[in-house]
Structure formats: C-alpha cells, structure tokens
Amino acid sequence: MSNSSVTVERMVLSQPVLGSRRFSNYFWAVVVSIGGIGFLLAGLSSYFKVNLLPVSNPLALAFIPQGIALTFYGVAGTLLATYLWVAILLDIGGGYNKFDRAAGEITIFRNGFPGKNRRIELKSQLADAQAVRVDIKDGLSPRRTLYVRIKGRREIPLTRVGEPISLTELETQGADLARFLGVPLEGL
C-alpha cells in the first residue's frame, strides 16, 4: 500500500497492497532452496556413494545415521522452499484497495491460495464507511495497521501484513483516506 494513485478529478483512490512478493520472501526462498537441495544431495550422495555436490565430499558420511538425517532435512527444506516459491508466484496477500466516488463503492481485493476461495473481494457502499482507524503497537513485534470501519461489518485491514510501514507513511495514508471518504481518523 506504499503507492496511492488518485485521478485528477479525485473520483477514485486506488492503493496497491504488497503481498508475498517482498524482498524478504525472495531472500528466504533462495536461502531455503539452496540449503534444502544441498542437504538432499549430500544425503543422496552418502546413499549412492557418488559425489553429487561440487563443493564438498559427502562420500565419507555413513548413510545411517548422518545420510538419512541429511536426506530428511533436505526433503523438508525442499518442500518449504517449494511452498515459498508458490506463495511468491501466486502473490498471496497482494491486491488493492479501491475507493470509487463515481460508483459509490469500496472494493478490497486480495489474492489467496488456490482452491474455492482463490480471490478475496469485499465490496461495500462508500456511504457505509464510518471511520478510518490507525492501530500502532510497538515493541518486539511491532504492528502498524490501517483499518476502515464499515457499517454492519468488522473493521477491514487495508495495509500489508508482515512488514510494518513507517509512522509517517501510515499517518499520511490514513489522513488522505479519511479526507477522501469524508470520515473521521481515529487512533492518533
């Protein structure tokens, strides 16, 4: 939700929401892939007595217990890496928040996991918006979230999950949205 785009007439406010295609997810997917494949190849090398790794010599390892443990960790790491790459590919959690004065509609859209509910889309009337709330919790696990309160529904989070945005950016986005919707800004 770092970039907001508003048309010249100020009829539509659209905010993209960053999902799983973040630098940290790419970093961990690469690290886990390299580690998982390395452990798997080391375990298989000890079983087949053929060096499958160009950087070390796992032939000296006994398959039981070292090789089997390496194979287990390699399979687990490879499965975790596959999960991370699929989440990045599908951009889980990514989407947009769209506030359209012309249509009188609020649309919150997010990508989900494949299956019955692959895409999450919430639509409400613009007139049902009651407030924009800023939630700030600092500490070991900081949370900085922007919510919109809609009549007859729970508060709907508008910001990305995982990486807290700066206080300045959060306050600016909250104030811009509250001004655009004509509702109060709460929580500051």
Side-chain angles (χ1 to χ4, degrees), residues 25-40:
N25 285 352
Y26 281 106
F27 173 78
W28 287 114
V30 168
V31 168
V32 172
S33 295
I34 292 170
I37 291 170
F39 274 94
L40 184 61

Side-chain angles (χ1 to χ4, degrees), residues 26-93:
Y26 281 106
F27 173 78
W28 287 114
V30 168
V31 168
V32 172
S33 295
I34 292 170
I37 291 170
F39 274 94
L40 184 61
L41 290 177
L44 293 175
S45 293
S46 72
Y47 179 75
F48 292 118
K49 299 298 180 197
V50 174
N51 189 0
L52 301 173
L53 285 172
V55 293
S56 69
N57 187 12
L59 298 177
L61 297 173
F63 182 67
I64 296 181
Q66 293 101 346
I68 201 159
L70 287 171
T71 304
F72 171 76
Y73 288 126
V75 168
T78 304
L79 290 174
L80 177 60
T82 302
Y83 165 79
L84 289 171
W85 286 114
V86 167
I88 290 169
L89 178 72
L90 297 175
D91 194 23
I92 305 300

